[in-house]
Amino acid sequence: MKPIDPSLERLATARALLLQPYGLDESKLQRALATVFEHRTDYADLYFQYTRSESYSLEEGAVKSGAFGIDQGVGVRAVAGDKTAFSYSDDICEAALLQAARTVRSIARGGASGRIRVASQLAPQAHCPLYGTGDPVASLGAADKVHLLERLENMARARDPRVRQVMATLASEYDVILVARSDGLIAADVRPLVRLSLTVIAEQDGRREQGFAGGGGREDLALFTDEQLQGYARQAVDMAVVNLRARSAPAGQTTVVLGPGWPGILLHEAVGHGLEGDFNRKGSSAFAGRIGKRVAAAGVTVVDDGTMPRRRGSLAIDDEGNPTSRTVLIENGILRGYMQDSLNARLMKAALTGNGRRESFASLPMPRMTNTCMLSGNHDPQEIIRSVKNGVYATNFGGGQVDITNGKFVFSMAEAYQIENGQIGAPIKGATLIGNGPDALTRVSMIGNDLRMDAGIGTCGKDGQSVPVGVGQPTVRIEGLTVGGTGG
């Protein structure tokens, strides 16, 4: 028996959820696209989405809240030159679809003559599956989900008697999308997503500190085995307990060593957004116009990779129907390219990278990161620590702020230590990392061989839209960063 093409299987699922129940088929989608093209337009697409989500939250020893929701609808977009018209409806039917199409067709096609015709038929787009198609919401019963959170709490409290409070949230999502485009492409994806987050508060001698952990990915709830839960409990509790004995952070300019994994969030915020196509097309990024030029120290290679199996930021296709890719942004310190959606790629005459993302059918796509990381170098992590006489070792970050136009950032360190004479010393608290992203890349002096991706907890915000992402990096030594603290 010939195996079923996974992309066609996903398309069949999307048709069954998003088209057939409402009397829609490809001919009616083409009619809507043709309606848009009654006025001069370069491109149009339809974006259908069905999302089922559920979450449970534990606090003060009990699961006190739960939420379940279903959201669905269709967005219609028309593009002419650099102008975009967009309309959406949460009512999926032919009448609503045609009304949305009539709403956007008023956009005038600027700067060119003639009219681009809609393709005469829709052809399925093949793509490589990166994750399963199961519904994670249904992968575990309600009682079992509650029991999972209770087990996690018991593990955290059993690890240290100083734990006073445990908060945890378990979330799962089943997302099905279908894209039909005026160039004839029709594509679909089925996207499972789960996440478990844990926060603990420990107390000693009247002092309270917190720690956090968690993980997830494009899998079902079977990901959260007892072994995985023990790991989260250990990480969160140990962070809180370490911070109980942390001393005030020294302030000043110093050498900073960033640990592997989640500290890549600094790279994501301080550098990644500046490498998105829209900011560079408009000239508002610090990296605008610098392709082919050195923007980082030798050895620094940064990629955005949407093709990692089961990763939180991965997508088989982006939200415009294009396959995602592994895009080299910086290679050995040289800027090689930007992340692109279709609009900015066309206007910049650049190749598509599959980075067109949107929060929902009610949002416009824009170039966004997927899984962004710095690749490994040649140094052993312990060698990097030993090379520092005095400095700071940051293993976890909390919140931060970044100015995309110049790359200036301020990040709080959730877990950090002093480095003294090549050894990891006392933990420090109240430390912030202050710097400039593009400048910090030029100050990288050693890169570890221990690339690690984050555990699967990242969410990125841009222009009011949030999407799941991944970050990662190896251990990295950076010279002369400013650490803000309360110590001398």
Side-chain angles (χ1 to χ4, degrees), residues 110-126:
S113 60
R115 180 182 298 173
I116 307 298
R117 295 187 179 276
V118 65
S120 60
Q121 62 181 7
L122 296 173
Q125 169 72 56

Side-chain angles (χ1 to χ4, degrees), residues 295-359:
V295 297
V300 173
T301 296
V302 178
V303 304
D304 183 83
D305 191 351
T307 69
M308 295 180 174
R310 299 180 298 280
R311 296 295 312 176
R312 179 173 169 83
S314 295
L315 300 169
I317 56 172
D318 70 4
D319 294 325
E320 298 181 306
N322 299 306
T324 54
S325 63
R326 182 181 184 275
T327 304
V328 177
L329 303 170
I330 299 171
E331 183 179 31
N332 196 25
I334 307 299
L335 181 62
R336 296 302 185 193
Y338 308 121
M339 291 165 278
Q340 301 286 5
D341 64 347
S342 61
L343 171 65
N344 289 282
R346 176 172 58 83
L347 294 174
M348 296 179 74
K349 295 180 173 56
L352 281 168
T353 60
N355 286 93
R357 305 190 65 185
R358 59 179 106 197
E359 183 177 83

Side-chain angles (χ1 to χ4, degrees), residues 205-424:
D205 299 329
R207 175 176 172 178
R208 288 191 163 208
E209 298 290 346
Q210 75 172 16
F212 58 86
R218 296 203 176 277
E219 307 200 36
D220 62 27
L221 294 172
L223 171 67
F224 302 121
T225 62
D226 278 353
E227 181 181 5
Q228 196 76 54
L229 299 184
Q230 288 282 7
Y232 298 152
R234 179 173 60 253
Q235 181 181 343
V237 173
D238 290 359
M239 182 190 299
V241 169
V242 162
N243 284 331
L244 282 175
R245 58 183 177 86
R247 61 195 189 192
S248 296
Q253 199 171 68
T254 189
T255 299
V256 175
V257 177
L258 303 178
W262 181 245
I265 189 64
L266 190 149
L267 176 78
H268 167 103
E269 294 288 359
V271 177
H273 281 298
L275 296 174
E276 292 167 339
D278 50 354
F279 293 125
N280 289 279
R281 177 175 67 84
K282 298 170 185 176
S284 60
S285 167
F287 294 101
R290 301 189 66 189
I291 289 181
K293 297 181 180 179
R294 178 165 297 282
V295 297
V300 173
T301 296
V302 178
V303 304
D304 183 83
D305 191 351
T307 69
M308 295 180 174
R310 299 180 298 280
R311 296 295 312 176
R312 179 173 169 83
S314 295
L315 300 169
I317 56 172
D318 70 4
D319 294 325
E320 298 181 306
N322 299 306
T324 54
S325 63
R326 182 181 184 275
T327 304
V328 177
L329 303 170
I330 299 171
E331 183 179 31
N332 196 25
I334 307 299
L335 181 62
R336 296 302 185 193
Y338 308 121
M339 291 165 278
Q340 301 286 5
D341 64 347
S342 61
L343 171 65
N344 289 282
R346 176 172 58 83
L347 294 174
M348 296 179 74
K349 295 180 173 56
L352 281 168
T353 60
N355 286 93
R357 305 190 65 185
R358 59 179 106 197
E359 183 177 83
S360 76
F361 67 88
S363 309
L364 276 170
M366 64 182 84
R368 305 290 300 272
M369 287 172 274
T370 57
N371 304 298
T372 311
C373 62
M374 182 188 297
L375 300 188
S376 283
N378 299 319
H379 294 281
D380 181 271
Q382 294 304 313
E383 175 194 357
I384 296 176
I385 297 295
R386 289 194 299 270
S387 72
V388 179
K389 183 176 181 180
N390 290 292
V392 170
Y393 177 48
T395 62
N396 221 321
F397 282 93
Q401 292 182 328
V402 179
D403 184 336
I404 301 301
T405 61
N406 55 31
K408 291 182 179 179
F409 62 79
V410 178
F411 274 88
S412 63
M413 302 184 205
E415 183 178 0
Y417 303 82
Q418 282 195 291
I419 302 176
E420 299 170 314
N421 297 316
Q423 300 289 325
I424 296 175

